[in-house]
Amino acid sequence: MMKIAALAVSTAPGGNMSFAFSKFSTKFRKLILKRQSFPWLWETTIKTKKYNEWYISFYAESKKEVGIINATFNMIFKYKGQLLTGTVKGDEAFIFSGHFFDRYKERFFKIHKENRLITDKDIMKVFFIFNSNCWFCDKEKEDNIRGFCYDGILLGDWFGGEGGIVKTFISRQEMKINQFAEYFEIFKMWIIEDMFKARKGFELEKELIKYIPDTTSVH
């Protein structure tokens, strides 16, 4: 599994997926300026020489969100017959397993995993369209992967220093009280970051968030 993480990182220059999007930035910004109707979903798929797929998506509910939402970059590939999705956060690679998407399908959309009206690949794409923000707790302070997205909690296992595999999903409705309290703190952090970016035009430095009154950053 560590080789999978290395593959995901190596396919993006410097291990930074946002760098890959820079090739499209000029065209993309022109599209944004011309866009008048919302909600708006922009997506494209790039196939690699090894027949893997980079799926790039951008979803905005309104014109105001265009300057806040980030595009998401995900690799869709097969490993030993299993369809997986890889993404990179900083210098860490995260692999989302098929089991994770089965649970997301069941617990968020209330669709049984055996229901084939929507394909596994489509579920993967939908998850990242609506969850452009995924935040993971520091691995130095956590024995297992624990992360948050708009729709719920992500759980899995670390492997080595390269990243980990995300194995299962807990929806907001299923959270325990302490889990929801932590989720709410992360959600507040996202709101503050979005408000700052909308006003200033650039990202709020993570280390500054802890100085904002009545807001704590979970580590």
Side-chain angles (χ1 to χ4, degrees):
M1 193 62 68
M2 292 177 68
K3 290 182 179 179
I4 302 178
L7 170 66
V9 174
S10 65
T11 50
N16 185 349
M17 290 194 208
S18 61
F19 181 87
F21 189 65
S22 64
K23 296 179 181 179
F24 304 92
S25 60
T26 302
K27 179 181 178 181
F28 186 63
R29 287 301 158 193
K30 288 180 180 179
L31 284 173
I32 290 176
L33 292 174
K34 292 179 181 179
R35 191 70 189 181
Q36 298 298 322
S37 59
F38 290 87
W40 176 41
L41 170 63
W42 182 91
E43 58 183 342
T44 189
T45 300
I46 302 172
K47 293 203 172 182
T48 70
K49 293 180 181 179
K50 294 183 179 181
Y51 302 102
N52 298 314
E53 294 182 12
W54 276 112
Y55 175 66
I56 307 172
S57 63
F58 179 91
Y59 177 74
E61 287 279 352
S62 65
K63 188 76 172 180
K64 291 181 179 179
E65 284 191 348
V66 167
I68 298 173
I69 303 298
N70 295 317
T72 59
F73 299 78
N74 306 284
M75 173 173 274
I76 301 174
F77 62 100
K78 281 191 175 182
Y79 178 73
K80 294 184 177 181
Q82 183 182 6
L83 192 66
L84 302 172
T85 303
T87 192
V88 175
K89 298 292 182 182
D91 58 354
E92 295 172 337
F94 293 93
I95 307 302
F96 289 74
S97 69
H99 180 78
F100 169 84
F101 290 106
D102 283 342
R103 289 292 175 263
Y104 180 67
K105 187 177 178 180
E106 289 177 327
R107 294 173 176 175
F108 186 77
F109 286 106
K110 309 302 181 186
I111 301 173
H112 193 274
K113 65 179 181 180
E114 300 300 330
N115 189 316
R116 299 302 175 192
L117 292 177
I118 182 169
T119 68
D120 293 341
K121 187 179 287 189
D122 285 338
I123 281 290
M124 292 176 177
K125 291 179 178 180
V126 167
F127 172 79
F128 288 108
I129 286 171
F130 289 111
N131 294 279
S132 58
N133 253 344
C134 288
W135 186 89
F136 293 92
C137 299
D138 293 340
K139 62 177 179 289
E140 290 80 7
K141 299 181 181 180
E142 298 285 336
D143 294 329
N144 302 104
I145 285 179
R146 190 163 53 91
F148 298 86
C149 63
Y150 292 132
D151 293 338
I153 294 177
L154 320 172
L155 299 173
D157 295 323
W158 295 107
F159 48 80
E162 299 164 325
I165 181 164
V166 183
K167 292 183 174 180
T168 195
F169 170 83
I170 299 174
S171 69
R172 290 190 295 266
Q173 291 78 10
E174 297 171 308
M175 291 179 192
K176 297 176 181 178
I177 294 176
N178 64 314
Q179 290 174 326
F180 189 82
E182 193 172 17
Y183 168 83
F184 184 68
E185 289 296 332
I186 299 300
F187 202 82
K188 282 201 300 182
M189 180 183 73
W190 283 332
I191 292 173
I192 291 168
E193 288 177 346
D194 288 348
M195 290 174 65
F196 184 90
K197 188 175 180 181
R199 186 175 179 83
K200 300 294 185 179
F202 56 90
E203 302 280 355
L204 173 64
E205 294 291 335
K206 300 290 184 184
E207 58 268 22
L208 297 181
I209 296 173
K210 61 185 177 183
Y211 297 111
I212 298 174
D214 300 320
T215 302
T216 58
S217 180
V218 179
H219 294 286

